[in-house]
Amino acid sequence: MLEEVFRDEWGRVLASLVGFLGDFDKAEDAVQEAFAIAAERWPASGVPPNPGAWLTTTARNRAIDRIRRERTLAGKIHLLPEPEAVMDEFDDTVIKDERLELIFTCCHPALPLDGQVALTLRALGYSGRVDLAAEAIRLGRVLATLMPDEPEAHGLLALMMIHHARRRARFSGEDLVLLEDQDRSLWDHAQIAAGRAVLDRAVALGGRGAYVIQAVIASLQTAERIDWPQVAEMYRRLAELTGSAVVELNRAVAVAQAGDPAAALRAVEALDLDGYLYYHSTRGELLRRLGRGDEAKVAYSRALELATTPPERRFLTRRLEQT
């Protein structure tokens, strides 16, 4: 139970303490102490009704106690507000969710990219067990709440929700499973429906941006019968917005799925993506469909050279054996 609370509440409690103290290290120390106290007390006393509020109050108390003990800050202690003494009666409505503000701070453009990544993962309590996709969706909900009339905020949230709903079907054991081969009973259909509702809000706001279009594509790909011409059209619009060769590659895949692999291959071969794994795997698949087996093997072999993960390598090896 404590591990689940850690996963769900660490980022929120830490963000609240950073905002309260203005010091990342002191905030992190206080939150760690609060979780240590919870690990000692909760097995005997039970989990409080509002674990996040309990942890926030405990962490604030610990931070104040520590500051009081530091003589260099003794002159400033009168500036700190006194927290409520009764933890279980803490009103959660007074704890504003400052996680998004903290993430924006961690990703400030003045910081180098590797520093942004390190700070962001630190702010999430990343330990290899945290569901980063679920955390991203939570932050997306905060963003959509803060920007209720911004269609791209709703589009981003819808995109993440719909993609995350298919997570259990993307792998069979350790092996990749393509969309057309996925077991749809493993999809989270309630989350897909919720994501589509968020997407409807984005479209109603007049959304035509990149996130909204990507969410539309994701939604189309969860239909019982996928309208591939429409998917291809959405990728065309997205390519116009982004100028991305990778988007053009995805459009070519949709064209092939719509029944024209020859046109798709022509589009692929016009792209400059030689160092991109999925360029070669896509080209290999199109050549295979067109009966050009020897050329397909060359393309799959090049993709295999670029593959870095075991699932990708196994998938491409199987494709080579089947061609």
Side-chain angles (χ1 to χ4, degrees), residues 124-147:
L124 298 173
Y126 180 66
S127 63
R129 295 190 301 266
V130 175
D131 186 343
L132 292 180
E135 180 66 13
I137 289 172
R138 281 193 287 270
L139 292 172
R141 288 195 175 101
V142 174
L143 183 63
T145 300
L146 293 173
M147 306 175 72

Side-chain angles (χ1 to χ4, degrees), residues 48-64:
N50 193 325
W54 190 99
L55 289 163
T56 301
T57 304
T58 303
R60 287 188 179 193
N61 287 339
R62 288 291 164 170
I64 291 172

Side-chain angles (χ1 to χ4, degrees), residues 91-318:
D91 183 2
D92 184 51
T93 61
V94 305
I95 306 176
K96 67 175 184 177
D97 195 331
E98 298 172 291
R99 285 173 296 178
L100 195 64
E101 182 180 347
L102 178 59
I103 297 301
F104 282 147
T105 302
C106 292
C107 296
H108 194 283
L111 297 172
L113 181 59
D114 55 351
Q116 294 178 32
V117 173
L119 275 176
T120 301
L121 291 177
R122 183 178 173 189
L124 298 173
Y126 180 66
S127 63
R129 295 190 301 266
V130 175
D131 186 343
L132 292 180
E135 180 66 13
I137 289 172
R138 281 193 287 270
L139 292 172
R141 288 195 175 101
V142 174
L143 183 63
T145 300
L146 293 173
M147 306 175 72
D149 298 321
E150 173 50 59
E152 282 289 84
H154 295 282
L156 174 60
L157 177 57
L159 173 64
M160 293 189 295
M161 291 175 70
I162 295 170
H163 273 310
H164 195 48
R166 296 194 286 111
R167 64 194 180 279
R168 291 176 56 212
R170 290 197 182 97
F171 286 86
S172 177
E174 297 295 321
D175 293 328
L176 287 170
V177 181
L178 298 180
L179 174 64
E180 61 199 60
D181 300 320
Q182 288 178 10
D183 180 355
R184 293 187 171 219
S185 69
L186 297 176
W187 291 2
D188 186 339
H189 293 279
Q191 182 162 304
I192 290 172
R196 286 175 173 167
V198 175
L199 176 58
D200 288 343
R201 170 65 176 162
V203 172
L205 288 169
R208 299 293 185 273
Y211 286 132
V212 174
I213 293 176
Q214 289 177 79
V216 170
I217 292 170
S219 179
L220 286 169
Q221 291 177 333
T222 60
E224 186 173 348
R225 295 189 64 179
I226 301 175
D227 186 343
W228 285 110
Q230 183 65 16
V231 172
E233 171 60 18
M234 290 296 104
Y235 273 123
R236 185 193 66 76
R237 296 185 190 182
L238 185 61
E240 287 182 351
L241 278 176
T242 63
S244 168
V246 173
V247 173
E248 291 284 7
L249 180 65
N250 280 279
R251 177 174 177 267
V253 171
V255 169
Q257 292 294 91
D260 196 346
L265 181 60
R266 288 194 296 272
V268 167
E269 292 185 334
L271 301 174
D272 183 14
L273 288 171
D274 184 62
Y276 187 52
L277 159 65
Y278 297 110
Y279 169 81
H280 296 284
S281 62
T282 299
R283 186 168 175 272
E285 176 63 20
L286 294 174
L287 289 165
R288 186 184 68 83
R289 292 189 186 188
L290 293 169
R292 295 160 62 177
D294 291 340
E295 293 173 85
K297 288 181 179 179
V298 173
Y300 281 132
S301 296
R302 174 60 177 148
L304 190 56
E305 291 174 4
L306 296 170
T308 58
T309 67
E312 288 172 340
R313 295 188 64 83
R314 284 195 298 271
F315 175 81
L316 291 166
T317 298
R318 285 198 305 272

